[in-house]
Amino acid sequence: MAERAQNIALRSDFQLLVDGALTGGEGWLEVINPATEQAFARCPAAGREHLDAAVAAARRAFAPWRQTSYARRAELIKRYTAALREAQDWLTVLLTEEQGKPIAQSEAEVDRGAAQADEMAGIEIPVELLLEDDRRRIELHYRPLGVVGIITPWNAPIALALGSMTSALYTGNTVIIKPSPYTPLSTLKMGELAQAIFPPGVVNVLAGGDDLGRWMSEHEDIDKISFTGSVATGKKVLASAAQTLKRVTLELGGNDPAIVLPDADPKAIAKQMFFACFVNTGQVCMAIKRIYVHEDVYDELCEVLVEEARNAKYGSGLDRENQLGPLQNKMQFDKVSEIFEDTRRSGATFLIGGEIPDRAGYFIPPTLVTDVDEHSRLVREEQFGPIVPILKYSDIQDAVRRANDTRFGLSGSVWTSDPIRGKAIAQRLEVGTAWVNQHRATSAYVPFGGAKESGLGRQSSVLGLKGYMEPQVVSVSKLAP
Ligand code: NAD
């Protein structure tokens, strides 16, 4: 991924996992620490033959794995999450080194990911009785699909791989996991931990570039792709998957609005709202990306959010003092920098932030802006970075219309001291998840996914798990033949 840094020995204890064996690749990926802009590690990159070998192994492993009981599969998943927790100290340092996020957020990623995986592996998927009368009994069964390809982005590599992996394995599928080329290392270590627990071929992990993702989406012997990433790539995955009518779950980007009603207490909501915008330096699919505030509380909310931004320290994620790390990669840093310039040109007012420091690392301070042109890139696009517009409204109908005026539809929230009114407004948001007085609250028992162009299908819960299965009607006549 980068020019080799001069005089720095690259860490290279990483391998692919194919058919239960750790193996090299056909080339290398160099991985940059975004806090220093230096390459610090390299890992093998898989070629087509590695993919074919992994798919063949996953296919072989599928027959016995699908016959394994839910209880046994859950037991192995729980052994695996225990291994992740045991590895947490070194795994979270590695995650912060490659991804940039503060170490406490890396710890939370492993903790929450493991807890949700444990919960998911306890969800029952019963046979459903559709109809029974004197003549027939009709049941709906759910069968595993087969080999599932899991493609993940760079913002939460462990949690996102683990969520899809758990869903697929628990429901009886085998998997091939491909992390982003920007953050392959922690996922490869997840593969090493999986090697000791799951039968050969059940879990395969391949690092590689975008081509590897495309090969997976096109592969004739992969039955489903579980993709998390951008809308643009999600559309390519869907087009590739169409050739073989693969099943897909697409978890894509968002431009998530928060609406603050006139009865909200700005001081009470400031901290929660600030971190819902800026956690992981804004690189979260469901982060608040636009804030619509009623004119009665507008000035006060701006003030308290600015105060939060002033108090938030940013810098290397390895330093526990810092609440915000760098942007994850140069491409994202450049994109957010362009959005800064576009916002400035459009005449917006920068309440805080706005200066991109001249220092090593992809750092941008938390930035809040007002007087923003509603047609600017900052409002229209998914900024995926630490710059958030605060937009004024006087009429709630107008606020809801503006919040919904987007092709995205991942999540949104309403903030108020009247939860009943909040709920009525939340229901009008065209999103997969609408929260009231909270944002980013997810659970293994609750489906998560996007409306509109933010995705297809859901993750988590019975609904999400069924996305990894094929419904099968079994209809038995009671009449003697
Ligand atoms: P991306 O779409 O650029 O890449 C995601 C993955 O797709 C990477 O592994 C990449 O190598 C692979 N890929 C690239 N081209 C491909 C192709 N043609 N076929 C198959 N795979 C291909 O996304 P990113 O920049 O890594 O991640 C950021 C995006 O992810 C943001 O839009 C964010 O909102 C989204 N995201 C969504 C969720 C969610 O749950 N909805 C969660 C996290 C991130």
Side-chain angles (χ1 to χ4, degrees), residues 62-135:
F62 175 55
W65 184 248
R66 70 179 302 177
Q67 300 299 337
T68 308
S69 67
Y70 276 100
R72 172 71 181 151
R73 295 195 297 245
E75 187 189 321
L76 292 183
I77 287 168
K78 285 173 187 171
R79 268 178 54 196
Y80 182 63
T81 54
L84 282 176
R85 288 189 182 97
E86 222 166 274
Q88 193 175 29
D89 285 351
W90 58 262
L91 190 59
T92 50
V93 170
L94 181 64
L95 177 58
T96 289
E97 282 176 328
E98 68 173 342
Q99 204 282 335
K101 65 180 64 179
I103 196 85
Q105 289 170 34
S106 290
E107 288 163 358
E109 181 168 336
V110 173
D111 275 342
R112 292 190 55 223
Q116 293 203 359
D118 286 350
E119 288 168 348
M120 203 117 74
I123 293 175
E124 281 189 35
I125 304 166
V127 171
E128 293 165 30
L129 179 60
L130 299 180
L131 188 93
E132 181 158 34
D133 58 23
D134 296 345
R135 296 185 296 122

Side-chain angles (χ1 to χ4, degrees), residues 217-354:
S217 310
E218 291 170 353
H219 204 288
E220 287 197 342
D221 215 17
I222 292 183
D223 302 287
K224 176 187 169 105
I225 295 288
S226 175
F227 173 84
T228 311
S230 62
V231 172
T233 311
K235 289 178 180 175
K236 289 185 194 163
V237 169
L238 188 58
S240 301
Q243 296 167 32
T244 50
L245 267 189
K246 276 182 189 59
R247 282 26 179 181
V248 291
T249 299
L250 302 178
E251 291 285 345
L252 309 179
N255 191 5
D256 308 37
I259 300 180
V260 181
L261 302 190
D263 63 2
D265 176 355
K267 281 198 190 67
I269 64 177
K271 195 169 280 304
Q272 202 189 341
M273 209 168 201
F274 177 79
F275 281 101
C277 295
F278 291 102
V279 69
N280 199 9
T281 315
Q283 302 165 115
V284 175
C285 56
M286 63 185 115
I288 296 175
K289 315 246 173 37
R290 298 172 285 155
I291 309 178
Y292 291 93
V293 190
H294 191 272
E295 57 191 358
D296 287 358
V297 282
Y298 188 82
D299 290 344
E300 195 187 346
L301 190 81
C302 288
E303 226 170 82
V304 291
L305 286 176
V306 164
E307 192 55 27
E308 291 294 333
R310 194 172 287 124
N311 294 334
K313 291 206 167 119
Y314 71 97
S316 164
L318 292 174
D319 180 347
R320 283 197 182 264
E321 289 270 282
N322 295 322
Q323 288 98 45
L324 271 64
L327 276 294
Q328 201 281 319
N329 57 63
K330 172 96 168 67
M331 177 269 303
Q332 191 61 23
F333 178 80
D334 288 346
K335 182 186 149 190
V336 176
S337 303
E338 279 169 26
I339 290 180
F340 260 68
E341 285 322 307
D342 185 75
T343 307
R344 204 183 300 281
R345 271 197 305 273
S346 74
T349 305
F350 284 68
L351 294 179
I352 188 161

Side-chain angles (χ1 to χ4, degrees), residues 177-188:
I177 305 173
K178 185 203 99 66
S180 164
Y182 291 110
T183 53
L185 306 176
S186 49
T187 313
L188 290 173

Side-chain angles (χ1 to χ4, degrees), residues 115-187:
Q116 293 203 359
D118 286 350
E119 288 168 348
M120 203 117 74
I123 293 175
E124 281 189 35
I125 304 166
V127 171
E128 293 165 30
L129 179 60
L130 299 180
L131 188 93
E132 181 158 34
D133 58 23
D134 296 345
R135 296 185 296 122
R136 64 217 152 142
R137 180 182 168 92
I138 306 179
E139 296 171 346
L140 188 58
H141 293 240
Y142 290 90
R143 301 152 57 90
L145 291 168
V147 178
V148 175
I150 295 170
I151 302 175
T152 57
W154 42 257
N155 64 332
I158 293 183
L160 295 170
L162 190 57
S164 296
M165 171 182 166
T166 311
S167 304
L169 295 181
Y170 177 60
T171 48
N173 304 280
T174 55
V175 299
I176 293 147
I177 305 173
K178 185 203 99 66
S180 164
Y182 291 110
T183 53
L185 306 176
S186 49
T187 313

